[in-house]
């Protein structure tokens, strides 16, 4: 074993024993942990032999992937929920996965959480049609269970393709699950908020999921702070 490998092993062991745990025994990650992990936002490789990877616009991409059966959710979904909004959007919102309303209508964020998202957009002087809205998973997990890592792994190349076609200036992650997945970290939502991350060259901001705000209105104030931070950054870019 090389000296730096031994040092890293010792560091990790030390960190393990010094780790703080919450009441439920979950590890509380420190800022440094989050930073260290989020520096290597993951690379899921794009398939090399699937024609959709060559599509040049969102309409064709939707047509060529909306019959996807790569994971089990293909069998239980009503509709494939591709995404909606401006194909040239500067801002892309990424949620977790479609819920019952989205599965029924084939459009992301159309239920109660979606109505709140529309209000959040209005608060920063944006409309649904100005931005692009999608999810990590394009199909609804039964009973709204959390997405499984394999499902996210199989679906993420579609998101990469959407990002590469839209080329947004900002990605706003709605909720812990989407943010943890894109930043490849186990950090808490609190540790991921209030900073501008770099996600494969695009600015990425993390905020509460609108469904969480419906459950706990006390989080609306910090969510507003997140959106103000976003708007300030966005203003800097559009004024250039
Ligand atoms: N929750 C999500 O994460 N996405 C939706 O589209 C709807 C609810």
């Amino acid at each position: 074993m090389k000296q730096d490998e031994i040092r890293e092993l010792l560091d990790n062991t030390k960190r393990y024993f010094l780790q703080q745990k919450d009441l439920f025994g979950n590890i509380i990650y420190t800022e440094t942990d989050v930073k260290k992990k989020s520096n290597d936002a993951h690379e899921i490789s794009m398939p090399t032999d699937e024609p959709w990877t060559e599509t040049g616009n969102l309409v064709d991409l939707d047509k060529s992937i909306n019959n996807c059966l790569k994971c089990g959710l293909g069998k239980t979904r009503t509709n494939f929920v591709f995404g909606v909004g401006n194909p040239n959007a500067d801002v892309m919102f990424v949620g977790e996965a479609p819920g019952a309303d989205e599965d029924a209508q084939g459009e992301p964020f159309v239920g109660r959480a979606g109505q709140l998202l529309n209000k959040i957009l209005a608060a920063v002087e944006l409309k649904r049609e100005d931005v692009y809205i999608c999810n990590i998973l394009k199909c609804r997990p039964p009973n709204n269970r959390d997405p499984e890592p394999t499902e996210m792994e199989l679906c993420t190349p579609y998101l990469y393709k959407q990002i590469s076609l839209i080329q947004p200036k900002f990605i706003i992650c709605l909720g812990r699950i989407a943010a943890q997945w894109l930043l490849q970290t186990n950090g808490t939502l609190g540790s991921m908020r209030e900073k501008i991350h770099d996600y494969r060259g695009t600015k990425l901001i993390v905020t509460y999921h609108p469904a969480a705000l419906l459950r706990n209105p006390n989080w609306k104030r910090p969510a507003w702070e997140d959106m103000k931070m976003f708007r300030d950054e966005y203003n800097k870019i559009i004024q250039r």
Side-chain angles (χ1 to χ4, degrees):
M1 213 183 234
K2 291 191 203 122
Q3 257 201 335
D4 47 353
E5 286 173 338
I6 298 174
R7 199 169 310 121
E8 188 171 356
L9 184 69
L10 285 174
D11 272 1
N12 287 343
T13 316
K14 195 162 119 204
R15 196 165 329 114
Y16 179 80
F17 284 106
L18 293 177
Q19 255 159 3
Q20 292 194 40
K21 308 227 170 99
D22 67 14
L23 278 178
F24 308 99
N26 299 317
I27 294 163
I28 302 172
Y29 285 88
T30 62
E31 282 276 305
T32 336
D33 290 332
V34 172
K35 240 186 236 142
K36 187 163 181 286
K37 290 189 165 193
S38 60
N39 279 343
D40 34 66
H42 64 177
E43 275 300 326
I44 287 185
S45 45
M46 287 294 265
T48 49
D49 51 353
E50 297 182 20
W52 63 265
T53 56
E54 302 297 322
T55 50
N57 63 70
L58 292 170
V59 175
D60 289 345
L61 177 63
D62 184 6
K63 275 191 207 140
S64 49
I65 63 175
N66 66 19
N67 56 357
C68 177
L69 290 173
K70 287 188 183 185
C71 76
L73 302 181
K75 286 197 215 96
T76 52
R77 70 169 176 242
T78 311
N79 281 297
F80 183 90
V81 183
F82 178 75
V84 71
N86 178 355
N88 302 309
D90 283 338
V91 193
M92 187 163 175
F93 285 80
V94 181
E96 177 181 323
D101 294 311
E102 292 73 23
D103 178 55
Q105 296 182 44
E107 183 173 326
F109 286 97
V110 287
R112 281 185 67 221
Q115 281 157 27
L116 180 55
L117 178 59
N118 294 346
K119 287 190 191 152
I120 294 171
L121 288 171
V124 285
E125 293 169 37
L126 287 172
K127 292 195 285 300
R128 215 174 147 88
E129 310 80 78
D130 298 329
V131 301
Y132 195 83
I133 305 172
C134 64
N135 286 302
I136 305 272
L137 290 192
K138 311 300 187 217
C139 300
R140 181 191 183 207
N143 305 315
N144 300 341
R145 65 156 168 74
D146 285 352
E148 285 174 5
T150 345
E151 293 161 352
M152 293 197 280
E153 223 157 90
L154 290 166
C155 225
T156 298
Y158 298 152
L159 178 67
Y160 283 174
K161 182 70 188 176
Q162 287 175 304
I163 296 173
S164 80
L165 289 171
I166 297 167
Q167 301 198 350
K169 300 202 166 59
F170 289 90
I171 293 175
I172 302 189
C173 266
L174 297 171
R176 177 181 59 84
I177 293 195
Q180 284 183 334
W181 179 250
L182 292 187
L183 296 174
Q184 282 296 283
T185 167
N186 295 319
T188 58
L189 187 89
S191 65
M192 294 182 281
R193 291 180 49 242
E194 297 179 285
K195 45 179 87 87
I196 316 247
H197 302 263
D198 174 68
Y199 181 69
R200 297 157 57 96
T202 304
K203 291 182 185 352
L204 184 148
I205 289 172
V206 177
T207 190
Y208 295 85
H209 193 289
L213 301 179
L214 290 170
R215 285 195 301 272
N216 188 343
N218 289 336
W219 289 334
K220 285 189 179 170
R221 166 62 49 186
W224 169 233
E225 298 298 332
D226 296 337
M227 292 311 289
K228 268 200 307 200
M229 179 183 80
F230 151 70
R231 186 69 221 200
D232 288 346
E233 285 300 308
Y234 181 55
N235 285 347
K236 286 184 207 160
I237 283 180
I238 58 175
Q239 276 157 18
R240 259 184 221 152

Short mmCIF file of all heavy atoms in Angstrom, two decimals, residues 95-99 102 107-110 113 135 209, ligand 1:
data_model
loop_
_atom_site.label_atom_id
_atom_site.label_comp_id
_atom_site.label_asym_id
_atom_site.label_seq_id
_atom_site.Cartn_x
_atom_site.Cartn_y
_atom_site.Cartn_z
N GLY A 95 -37.04 17.44 -10.84
CA GLY A 95 -37.64 16.79 -9.67
C GLY A 95 -37.24 15.34 -9.61
O GLY A 95 -36.33 14.88 -10.32
N GLU A 96 -37.97 14.61 -8.78
CA GLU A 96 -37.58 13.23 -8.50
C GLU A 96 -38.20 12.24 -9.51
O GLU A 96 -37.49 11.57 -10.26
CB GLU A 96 -38.07 12.96 -7.08
CG GLU A 96 -37.88 11.63 -6.53
CD GLU A 96 -38.47 11.58 -5.11
OE1 GLU A 96 -38.37 12.57 -4.34
OE2 GLU A 96 -39.03 10.54 -4.77
N ALA A 97 -39.52 12.20 -9.52
CA ALA A 97 -40.22 11.23 -10.38
C ALA A 97 -41.68 11.65 -10.46
O ALA A 97 -42.19 12.31 -9.56
CB ALA A 97 -40.12 9.84 -9.77
N PRO A 98 -42.37 11.25 -11.52
CA PRO A 98 -43.79 11.61 -11.63
C PRO A 98 -44.60 11.00 -10.49
O PRO A 98 -44.29 9.91 -10.01
CB PRO A 98 -44.22 10.99 -12.96
CG PRO A 98 -42.97 10.60 -13.67
CD PRO A 98 -41.90 10.44 -12.65
N GLY A 99 -45.63 11.73 -10.08
CA GLY A 99 -46.60 11.19 -9.11
C GLY A 99 -47.85 10.73 -9.88
O GLY A 99 -47.82 10.62 -11.12
N GLU A 102 -49.19 13.23 -12.54
CA GLU A 102 -48.26 13.35 -13.67
C GLU A 102 -48.32 12.10 -14.55
O GLU A 102 -48.30 12.17 -15.77
CB GLU A 102 -46.83 13.57 -13.15
CG GLU A 102 -46.60 14.91 -12.46
CD GLU A 102 -47.22 15.04 -11.07
OE1 GLU A 102 -47.46 14.00 -10.43
OE2 GLU A 102 -47.46 16.18 -10.65
N GLU A 107 -47.44 14.75 -17.91
CA GLU A 107 -46.70 16.01 -17.79
C GLU A 107 -46.18 16.17 -16.36
O GLU A 107 -46.92 15.89 -15.41
CB GLU A 107 -47.64 17.18 -18.16
CG GLU A 107 -46.92 18.51 -18.14
CD GLU A 107 -47.75 19.68 -18.67
OE1 GLU A 107 -48.56 19.49 -19.61
OE2 GLU A 107 -47.57 20.79 -18.14
N PRO A 108 -44.91 16.63 -16.20
CA PRO A 108 -44.38 16.74 -14.84
C PRO A 108 -45.00 17.90 -14.06
O PRO A 108 -45.40 18.92 -14.65
CB PRO A 108 -42.89 17.00 -15.05
CG PRO A 108 -42.75 17.50 -16.43
CD PRO A 108 -43.91 16.97 -17.22
N PHE A 109 -45.06 17.75 -12.77
CA PHE A 109 -45.52 18.80 -11.85
C PHE A 109 -46.84 19.45 -12.29
O PHE A 109 -46.90 20.65 -12.55
CB PHE A 109 -44.40 19.85 -11.67
CG PHE A 109 -43.29 19.35 -10.79
CD1 PHE A 109 -42.13 18.82 -11.35
CD2 PHE A 109 -43.39 19.36 -9.41
CE1 PHE A 109 -41.11 18.32 -10.55
CE2 PHE A 109 -42.37 18.85 -8.60
CZ PHE A 109 -41.23 18.34 -9.16
N VAL A 110 -47.86 18.62 -12.36
CA VAL A 110 -49.20 19.15 -12.67
C VAL A 110 -50.16 18.99 -11.49
O VAL A 110 -51.27 19.51 -11.52
CB VAL A 110 -49.84 18.48 -13.92
CG1 VAL A 110 -49.18 18.93 -15.20
CG2 VAL A 110 -49.81 16.96 -13.80
N ALA A 113 -48.25 19.77 -5.97
CA ALA A 113 -46.86 20.24 -5.90
C ALA A 113 -46.55 21.12 -7.11
O ALA A 113 -45.85 22.13 -7.02
CB ALA A 113 -45.90 19.07 -5.83
N ASN A 135 -37.98 15.42 -14.61
CA ASN A 135 -37.64 14.62 -13.42
C ASN A 135 -36.46 13.74 -13.73
O ASN A 135 -36.14 13.48 -14.90
CB ASN A 135 -38.83 13.72 -13.05
CG ASN A 135 -39.96 14.48 -12.42
OD1 ASN A 135 -39.79 15.14 -11.39
ND2 ASN A 135 -41.13 14.42 -13.04
N HIS A 209 -38.29 20.37 -2.19
CA HIS A 209 -39.29 19.87 -3.11
C HIS A 209 -40.62 20.55 -2.76
O HIS A 209 -40.96 20.66 -1.57
CB HIS A 209 -39.42 18.35 -2.96
CG HIS A 209 -40.19 17.73 -4.07
ND1 HIS A 209 -41.54 17.89 -4.21
CD2 HIS A 209 -39.79 16.96 -5.12
CE1 HIS A 209 -41.94 17.25 -5.30
NE2 HIS A 209 -40.90 16.69 -5.87
N1 LIG B 1 -42.97 15.22 -7.74
C1 LIG B 1 -41.89 15.15 -8.56
O1 LIG B 1 -40.75 15.00 -8.11
N2 LIG B 1 -42.11 15.28 -9.86
C2 LIG B 1 -43.31 15.47 -10.39
O2 LIG B 1 -43.40 15.59 -11.60
C3 LIG B 1 -44.40 15.55 -9.51
C4 LIG B 1 -44.21 15.42 -8.20
#
